[in-house]
């Protein structure tokens, strides 16, 4: 269809105010960009090929702001374990194996294939500390047609000997090599600076990463204020910082092209800094509950004007499905309202859809809705297998799609107008 | 296979201590009853037909202790609404339509078919106030081969005019007719006395239902201590009771054949009574979170020795899948541990599996595991579509099955040795 085409169906997206908008009609994609949703095909687009998806729900492609590709092999397993036990028994040994590019490639084929066939069109991804394995992942992702940001991890302290870089210097030079190779090789798959988190990145390493970020103009991603022990640890490791977020900010890693996962226990000063820097918060409630980190104050962040998207956070999260994550966003906010802070009302399904589309989409530019000028990311969802004697309004169908996504079928997916192979 | 057969595969069930037991071998079913799991086929069973499910995970059939068949049509929709708005816009109008047996039958065909094809082998089900519609549901359920308890609801006060029985007397006599017709007509599908809850059942009605329970020797089910407003309302309606549970106990509705859904906010006296009477608690965390009722203290109930099972509680719950409910059992307990009461550790996947099998199974007799003498309820789960570069231990596969159930396929299902048609 060559990035110029029309889809006919029921388009469901969110306005800037997060309200659900449902419009049956014709969605026009020209050169990968949305020209709008129209009740009738405008004269000037009359010649474009049209695909009839009448009866289906067409949503913006979903955006996963935080996922660990190298943990995909043990998704859904080991979640009864405490964090350290989980890291030492699953995460670190498995990630260490990705030193072997052959092993990494075989595992990443599974991840990239499942991501391609999912409802996700864009993602920010953690790989491992290994440059070549990470480039192998990027080769695979580039071929999917999805838009991704992928990080080779940086770790030069506080991890097992078998899974740690030799020195800050070695980590920095490998990261420079990673960025240069990736920039030359890919168009849709861009490198992003990725210290795992402050406890495993020395001060020298963080300063070096800040310099690389400025030199190459690339984004950054990491974890922030996920749990209390971690926050206390950072305060011990970096006694000169005002708060955990400051440990990323001092070396220059916080900006409008930065994603910080979790931000569950951020204090007011840290939140103010995230807002000032334009950082994106990746909200990952499924993981946060699975590993007992807590419930992040997302409505508060939204009302304060922070950028917020959602992340599957596999394998702390147990599924790549952002529909399941959206349902968790709503449930987590209900629990938070009931047990933590009744000041902020629970999030709605429309709020969750906003976060999964426009919220995270903004990290990638004009992405996340069907307004004129937005990149044409779309998923065509068939909910006809969900039988009911009732006739549900389209709004209720969208709600049901999110709660009953496993019974729906993704019929087509487009990223910036490119049709993604779902086979 | 005529209820005498052997399955070969990896059997996964829970011991009395709730520990996960994994045994590869041959499971023998004779006359619908499990004769044990054997490493080799014992001589005396050598002639039985054998089905080879090598590589598959064979679990006990799952038990749904609380589900509303008449709310299945709007599962997953409207969950952003407040309770009263949800009742008045979805629940009551839809349930009222089941006065029309034709409408009810069409809707119940969908419910019974989906239940048949699910991993559930036994269920305790709420229908509506309508006797004939409820009998129509039972006709459908009887044909599935599943074991169920089904209640015609009793409601003679505090609901809209269009969905309320004419009087206590009318409700009681209809219930007697319901029990007599059902007892004569079905073998696997038994009637159960089902006042919706105290606020919609007058004292006269409750006394009459107690008398029916004694006369016919049938079980009972209802809702208990689901939320604070409800509990206060019951205290106003029945000022003479010691607590909400007492309002069921005084007319004689609490016993070892009674299921009470939720029990989130039960006080010590109520809990002691539930234990004394041998009542089964149906834990429905997905619903409890969706409608913001709260997080029930399930580990406490288990340690106190109460009978506990789990319920999907469609349509407060958004899915019939008890695998998804099991994952929610674990997550809800983690949040409760973190935010409500750190005295009781989170439940594990093994605990959740225990509740979904032996816990609820005990309501139906010797049901819920592969010990000798238990009824042979089994589900054969194929997890081969979950690709991973890692080789997971069987215990991790069981965990993953629960978190990633939507990616697994149910290949066969048996209830008391009867193979259930999954087409």
């Amino acid at each position: 269809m060559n990035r110029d085409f029309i889809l006919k169906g029921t388009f469901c997206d969110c306005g800037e105010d997060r309200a659900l908008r449902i419009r049956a009609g014709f969605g026009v994609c020209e050169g990968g960009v949305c020209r709008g949703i129209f009740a009738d095909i405008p004269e000037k687009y009359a010649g474009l090929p049209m695909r009839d998806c009448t009866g289906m729900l067409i949503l913006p492609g979903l955006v996963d702001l935080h996922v660990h590709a190298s943990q995909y092999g043990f998704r859904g397993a080991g979640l009864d374990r405490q964090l350290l036990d989980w890291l030492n028994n699953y995460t670190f040994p498995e990630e260490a194996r990705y030193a072997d590019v052959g092993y990494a490639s075989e595992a990443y084929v599974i991840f990239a294939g499942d991501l391609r066939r999912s409802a996700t069109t864009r993602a920010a991804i953690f790989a491992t500390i290994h440059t070549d394995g990470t480039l192998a992942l990027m080769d695979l992702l580039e071929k999917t047609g999805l838009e991704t940001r992928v990080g080779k991890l940086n770790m030069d302290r506080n991890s097992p000997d078998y899974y740690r870089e030799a020195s800050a210097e070695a980590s920095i030079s490998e990261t420079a090599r990673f960025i240069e190779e990736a920039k030359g090789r890919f168009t849709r798959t861009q490198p992003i600076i990725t210290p795992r988190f402050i406890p495993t990145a020395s001060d020298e390493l963080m300063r070096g990463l800040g310099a690389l970020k400025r030199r190459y103009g690339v984004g950054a991603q990491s974890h922030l204020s996920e749990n209390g022990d971690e926050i206390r640890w950072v305060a011990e490791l970096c006694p000169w910082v005002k708060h955990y977020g400051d440990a990323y900010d001092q070396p220059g890693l916080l900006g409008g092209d930065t994603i910080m996962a979790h931000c569950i226990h951020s204090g007011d000063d840290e939140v103010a800094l995230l807002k000032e820097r334009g950082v994106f918060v990746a909200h990952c409630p499924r993981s946060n509950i699975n590993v007992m980190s807590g419930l992040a104050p997302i409505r508060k962040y939204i009302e304060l004007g922070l950028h917020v998207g959602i992340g599957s956070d596999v394998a702390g999260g147990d599924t790549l499905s952002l529909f399941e994550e959206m349902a968790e966003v709503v449930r987590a906010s209900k629990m938070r309202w009931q047990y933590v802070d009744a000041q902020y009302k629970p999030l709605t399904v429309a709020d969750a859809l906003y976060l999964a589309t426009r919220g995270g989409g903004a990290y990638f530019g004009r992405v996340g809705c069907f307004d004129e000028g937005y990149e044409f990311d779309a998923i065509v969802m068939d909910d006809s297998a969900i039988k009911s004697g009732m006739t549900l309004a389209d709004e209720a169908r969208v709600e049901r799609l999110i709660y009953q996504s496993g019974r729906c079928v993704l019929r087509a997916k487009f990223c910036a107008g490119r049709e993604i192979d779902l086979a």
Side-chain angles (χ1 to χ4, degrees), chain A:
Chain A
M1 289 162 90
N2 227 358
R3 303 182 78 192
D4 295 315
F5 60 89
I6 296 172
L7 292 187
K8 181 185 180 193
T10 301
F11 290 81
C12 314
D13 68 358
C14 293
E16 219 174 333
D17 60 357
R18 305 192 306 281
L20 189 60
R21 304 185 297 193
I22 298 181
R23 294 167 285 179
F26 300 86
V28 175
C29 175
E30 197 182 34
V33 173
C34 185
R35 293 299 170 209
I37 311 297
F38 305 94
D40 302 291
I41 300 175
E43 188 58 35
K44 63 176 168 175
Y45 302 124
L48 295 183
M50 199 267 281
R51 188 180 307 185
D52 191 347
C53 306
T54 300
M56 310 237 174
L57 300 173
I58 304 175
L59 279 70
L62 306 183
V63 179
D64 192 340
L65 277 192
H66 186 64
V67 56
H68 294 262
S70 53
Q71 298 175 11
Y72 194 60
F74 56 91
R75 63 200 178 279
L79 292 167
D80 288 337
R81 292 168 187 257
Q82 300 287 337
L83 184 63
L84 280 183
D85 187 20
W86 183 77
L87 285 173
N88 289 321
N89 278 283
Y90 282 98
T91 310
F92 289 149
E94 171 67 359
E95 289 193 15
R97 280 182 207 112
Y98 287 60
D100 174 348
V101 179
Y103 184 88
S105 296
E106 278 184 38
Y108 284 144
V109 162
I110 297 169
F111 171 80
D114 282 2
L115 191 70
R116 175 169 54 77
R117 288 182 291 269
S118 77
T120 300
T121 50
R122 305 193 181 227
I125 300 169
F126 281 52
T128 65
I129 62 174
H130 315 98
T131 300
D132 295 328
T134 305
L135 290 168
L137 169 61
M138 294 173 89
D139 276 325
L140 293 163
L141 288 168
E142 181 80 2
K143 288 186 197 119
T144 63
L146 306 178
E147 282 276 348
T148 58
R149 304 294 175 266
V150 182
K152 166 214 157 331
L153 269 56
N154 300 96
M155 298 169 65
D156 71 340
R157 67 174 177 183
N158 292 319
S159 66
D161 289 342
Y162 66 81
Y163 189 46
R164 192 171 61 223
E165 294 174 285
S167 65
E169 198 181 12
S171 180
I172 293 163
S173 68
E174 268 300 283
T175 303
R177 176 171 84 87
F178 165 67
I179 293 170
E180 285 175 12
E181 294 219 8
K183 284 210 161 211
R185 213 148 116 185
F186 310 115
T187 56
R188 297 181 282 271
T189 316
Q190 296 177 20
I192 179 169
I193 287 176
T194 308
R196 187 180 203 105
F197 66 157
I198 294 290
T200 57
S202 68
D203 310 322
E204 184 190 346
L205 174 53
M206 290 300 293
R207 281 192 299 273
L209 295 179
L212 290 181
K213 185 171 190 310
R214 285 185 293 277
R215 188 193 323 162
Y216 293 107
V218 293
Q221 59 181 352
S222 195
H223 300 92
L224 177 61
S225 295
E226 183 173 3
N227 83 42
D229 287 344
E230 172 205 20
I231 293 167
R232 282 182 288 275
W233 195 12
V234 170
E236 281 169 31
L237 290 166
C238 311
W240 55 86
V241 300
K242 284 180 277 188
H243 45 70
Y244 190 169
D246 192 31
Y248 292 110
D249 193 49
Q250 289 195 19
L253 282 187
L254 297 190
D257 53 1
T258 300
I259 298 166
M260 283 287 147
H262 311 311
C263 305
I264 299 168
H265 307 285
S266 298
D268 289 346
D269 289 351
E270 186 167 285
V271 172
L273 179 67
L274 295 174
K275 182 179 175 181
E276 192 182 329
R277 294 284 184 266
V279 169
F280 282 74
V281 172
H283 176 43
C284 313
R286 197 124 176 168
S287 164
N288 297 161
I289 296 170
N290 283 340
V291 306
M292 294 177 275
S293 300
L295 302 165
I298 297 304
R299 183 175 289 282
K300 176 177 155 184
Y301 293 166
I302 293 172
E303 289 184 3
L304 287 172
L306 271 70
H307 293 294
V308 186
I310 71 177
S312 65
D313 195 19
V314 162
D318 49 83
T319 172
L320 270 188
S321 165
L322 293 181
F323 285 116
E324 293 178 39
E325 193 71 28
M326 277 188 255
E328 205 66 44
V329 164
V330 174
R331 278 194 291 268
S333 74
K334 287 174 173 176
M335 287 298 89
R336 193 169 203 288
W337 172 81
Q338 187 165 18
Y339 287 112
V340 185
D341 185 356
Q343 185 184 348
Y344 295 100
K345 277 194 221 163
L347 298 170
T348 64
V349 162
D351 291 327
L353 180 61
Y354 175 92
L355 294 175
T357 54
R358 293 182 80 131
Y363 185 79
F364 293 87
R366 288 171 68 77
V367 170
C369 70
F370 296 116
D371 284 352
E372 203 283 318
Y374 274 68
E375 294 192 62
F376 198 92
D377 283 24
I379 51 175
V380 179
M381 300 298 304
D382 179 354
D383 66 350
S384 62
I386 307 178
K387 301 297 182 195
S388 173
M390 298 170 70
T391 304
L392 293 189
D394 287 332
E395 185 176 341
R397 283 175 64 202
V398 174
E399 293 169 355
R400 190 179 62 176
L401 164 64
I402 286 165
Y403 283 104
Q404 290 257 322
S405 58
R407 287 92 201 162
C408 300
V409 181
L410 176 65
R411 295 290 180 198
K413 177 162 93 165
F414 302 87
C415 180
R418 290 183 300 275
E419 181 156 15
I420 308 297
D421 176 17
L422 298 177

